[in-house]
């Protein structure tokens, strides 16, 4: 989205977005310097850093936007009904897995009560429809896909059990941070401005902008039906939020604690070791893009 | 024109068309050209997956 709007700005494209189908491939591309930055799930970024991969989290991609989905006409009516059933998550290093553990604990249940399987995000809706899984915990637009198609029902949104839930973060290679901090700042500023643009406080304007974003992101970036993204971004309007995107210590310490409890992180890791907050600080004074659908230029 | 020459020209034309189509649709020229720029001028390659 930032790329699309910035293409209409005086500075032109700021970066080259490259679509991947899974996080393991992104990890390899970062290590080999094929990619200098990436959006990935927060626990994976922390785990990579703990393993010595030279990356730092510099900003968030969004807030909320993950949900646990079950079959609409299936036997699972409450969270407790998931006992003994199969639930798919995108990766063992994902917030979508951690929210399931967090919710299990709040219902007096444990990981032994369900069977968790890893599945590529594009496959989960089909697997749920076919009855191969009983539920999935996934980021948008896959919960929306199951809802729109009529076979899925959101059992709960992540924010119901995790009020400050975050999922995707922006990571940048450390050598790029050291050698080209101004380029990283331009990238973070663009994301901040896009977030403010999408979360405009005027509700009709926010809806119109989200519908426009769904159209161009669906067609030019995600290669998905724009109606699907429109559903995810507007049903309701706060289903996915783009503010605040500054990485906060308390949010990440909760993630690290949950990772430790669920055995995907073998040591404690300090916030400063995996987050570089200076770019988020630099973006705090930014204002939304001055761009409306059909404008010839963005400022 | 001999039959051999006709076949040769036909195969050559077919290979040329397929190669051109492949290079137009499967090669990301924007990325290739960017990777050849000096590091200080290069745009950042940013990876994402189609999830919010």
């Amino acid at each position: 989205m930032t790329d699309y709007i910035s293409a209409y700005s005086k500075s032109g494209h700021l970066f080259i977005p490259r679509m991947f189908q899974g996080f393991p491939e992104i990890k390899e591309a970062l290590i080999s310097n094929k990619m200098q930055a990436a959006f990935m799930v927060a626990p994976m970024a922390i785990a990579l850093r703990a393993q010595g991969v030279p990356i730092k989290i510099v900003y968030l991609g969004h807030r909320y936007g993950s949900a646990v989905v079950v079959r609409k006409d299936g036997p699972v009516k409450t969270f407790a009904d998931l006992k003994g059933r199969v639930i798919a998550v995108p990766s063992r290093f994902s917030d979508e897995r951690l929210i399931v553990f967090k919710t299990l604990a709040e219902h007096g249940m444990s990981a032994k009560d369900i069977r968790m399987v890893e599945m590529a995000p594009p496959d989960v809706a089909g697997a749920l429809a076919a009855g191969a899984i009983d539920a999935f915990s996934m980021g948008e637009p896959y919960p929306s896909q199951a809802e729109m198609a009529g076979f899925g029902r959101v059992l709960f949104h992540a924010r119901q059990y995790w009020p400050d839930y975050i999922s995707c973060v922006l990571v940048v290679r450390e050598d790029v941070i050291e050698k080209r901090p101004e380029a990283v700042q331009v990238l973070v500023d663009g994301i901040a401005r896009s977030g403010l643009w999408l979360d405009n406080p005027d509700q009709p304007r926010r809806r119109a902008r989200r519908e426009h974003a769904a159209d161009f992101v669906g067609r030019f970036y995600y290669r998905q039906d724009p109606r699907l993204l429109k559903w995810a971004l507007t049903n309701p309007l706060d289903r996915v939020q783009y503010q605040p995107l500054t990485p906060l210590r308390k949010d990440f310490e909760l993630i690290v604690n949950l990772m430790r409890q669920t055995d995907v992180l073998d040591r404690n890791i300090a916030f400063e070791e995996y987050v570089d907050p200076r770019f988020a600080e630099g973006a705090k004074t930014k204002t939304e893009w001055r761009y409306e659908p059909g404008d010839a230029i963005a400022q | 024109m001999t039959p051999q020459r006709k076949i040769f020209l036909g195969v050559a034309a077919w290979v040329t068309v397929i190669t051109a189509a492949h290079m137009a649709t499967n090669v990301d020229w924007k990325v290739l050209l960017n990777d050849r720029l000096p590091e200080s001028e290069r745009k950042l390659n940013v990876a994402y997956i189609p999830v919010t």
Side-chain angles (χ1 to χ4, degrees), chain A residues 16 18 20 62 140 180 221, chain B residues 42 44-48 52:
Chain A
I16 300 179
R18 305 286 307 277
F20 287 67
H62 62 91
E140 294 290 354
R180 302 182 63 193
Y221 294 85
Chain B
R42 222 175 279 164
L44 301 182
N45 289 306
V46 181
Y48 69 96
T52 50

Side-chain angles (χ1 to χ4, degrees), chain A residues 15-20 23 26 34 36-39 62 140 142 180 221-222 224, chain B residues 28 30-31 34-35 38-52:
Chain A
F15 53 89
I16 300 179
R18 305 286 307 277
M19 186 163 76
F20 287 67
F23 292 116
I26 290 181
K34 290 283 183 195
Q36 288 75 50
F39 289 96
H62 62 91
E140 294 290 354
Y142 300 104
R180 302 182 63 193
Y221 294 85
Y222 280 18
Q224 289 171 345
Chain B
D28 197 333
K30 195 165 57 176
V31 172
N34 184 59
D35 287 348
E39 200 175 342
S40 58
E41 297 171 22
R42 222 175 279 164
K43 292 171 184 174
L44 301 182
N45 289 306
V46 181
Y48 69 96
I49 67 168
V51 181
T52 50

Side-chain angles (χ1 to χ4, degrees), chain A:
Chain A
M1 189 175 62
T2 300
D3 179 72
Y4 182 85
I5 298 178
S6 70
Y8 291 86
S9 70
K10 285 179 183 168
S11 57
H13 281 279
L14 308 172
F15 53 89
I16 300 179
R18 305 286 307 277
M19 186 163 76
F20 287 67
Q21 292 300 333
F23 292 116
E25 295 86 351
I26 290 181
K27 171 191 162 186
E28 296 303 323
L30 272 173
I31 292 171
S32 63
N33 200 19
K34 290 283 183 195
M35 294 293 120
Q36 288 75 50
F39 289 96
M40 62 167 55
V41 276
M44 180 169 283
I46 294 168
L48 288 178
R49 180 66 209 189
Q51 292 163 16
V53 178
I55 55 169
K56 284 266 177 96
I57 296 168
V58 297
Y59 214 44
L60 306 187
H62 62 91
R63 279 184 182 267
Y64 317 118
S66 293
V68 169
V69 177
V70 297
R71 274 200 299 279
K72 197 174 182 179
D73 56 356
V76 181
K77 305 295 180 196
T78 67
F79 188 82
D81 295 336
L82 282 173
K83 192 166 187 174
R85 300 191 182 275
V86 180
I87 181 166
V89 297
S91 162
R92 58 198 302 260
F93 299 103
S94 66
D95 301 271
E96 284 79 8
R97 174 178 172 272
L98 297 181
I99 185 65
V100 174
F101 277 101
K102 201 169 186 297
T103 312
L104 279 168
E106 294 201 18
H107 285 81
M109 298 162 70
S110 76
K112 289 175 185 166
D113 291 321
I114 57 167
R115 196 174 138 231
M116 220 179 281
V117 295
E118 290 182 47
M119 195 171 279
D123 296 337
V124 292
L128 184 71
I133 55 176
D134 300 298
F136 65 76
S137 176
M138 203 64 63
E140 294 290 354
Y142 300 104
S144 292
Q145 185 181 12
E147 277 188 317
M148 265 185 78
F151 60 80
R153 178 176 71 86
V154 171
L155 186 62
F156 67 88
H157 289 280
R159 69 198 313 170
Q160 289 174 238
Y161 290 95
W162 192 334
D164 296 316
Y165 181 83
I166 57 179
S167 179
C168 269
V169 296
L170 175 67
V171 301
V172 180
R173 281 178 56 93
E174 275 194 306
D175 57 342
V176 176
I177 290 175
E178 282 169 25
K179 290 178 191 167
R180 302 182 63 193
E182 72 294 335
V184 179
Q185 187 66 64
V186 169
L187 175 59
V188 171
D189 287 351
I191 296 167
R193 297 189 72 187
S194 296
L196 289 163
W197 184 82
L198 276 174
D199 278 357
N200 187 285
D202 179 67
Q203 297 286 310
R205 181 170 287 177
R206 182 187 294 194
R207 178 175 294 278
R209 288 177 175 180
R210 285 177 171 236
E211 288 176 354
H212 183 56
D215 183 59
F216 63 70
V217 171
R219 285 191 293 136
F220 301 131
Y221 294 85
Y222 280 18
R223 311 275 192 267
Q224 289 171 345
D225 184 346
R227 287 175 300 175
L228 177 59
L229 287 176
K230 183 179 167 186
W231 181 291
L233 290 178
T234 62
N235 196 15
L237 276 176
D238 63 353
R239 188 165 179 143
V240 186
Q241 284 189 240
Y242 296 90
Q243 293 183 72
L245 297 180
T246 297
L248 301 176
R249 182 184 297 271
K250 67 176 178 59
D251 294 339
F252 282 90
E253 287 181 347
L254 174 58
I255 292 171
V256 167
N257 285 338
L258 286 167
M259 289 175 73
R260 296 275 288 147
Q261 289 167 26
T262 57
D263 300 323
V264 289
L265 189 65
D266 57 10
R267 69 174 176 90
N268 274 323
I269 180 167
F271 180 73
E272 292 75 13
E273 202 177 326
Y274 58 86
V275 172
D276 190 331
R278 78 180 108 153
F279 303 104
E281 281 299 318
K284 274 186 176 168
T285 56
K286 294 295 165 190
T287 54
E288 67 174 26
W289 286 108
R290 287 168 60 194
Y291 172 78
E292 296 298 337
D295 280 0
I297 190 163
Q299 298 177 55

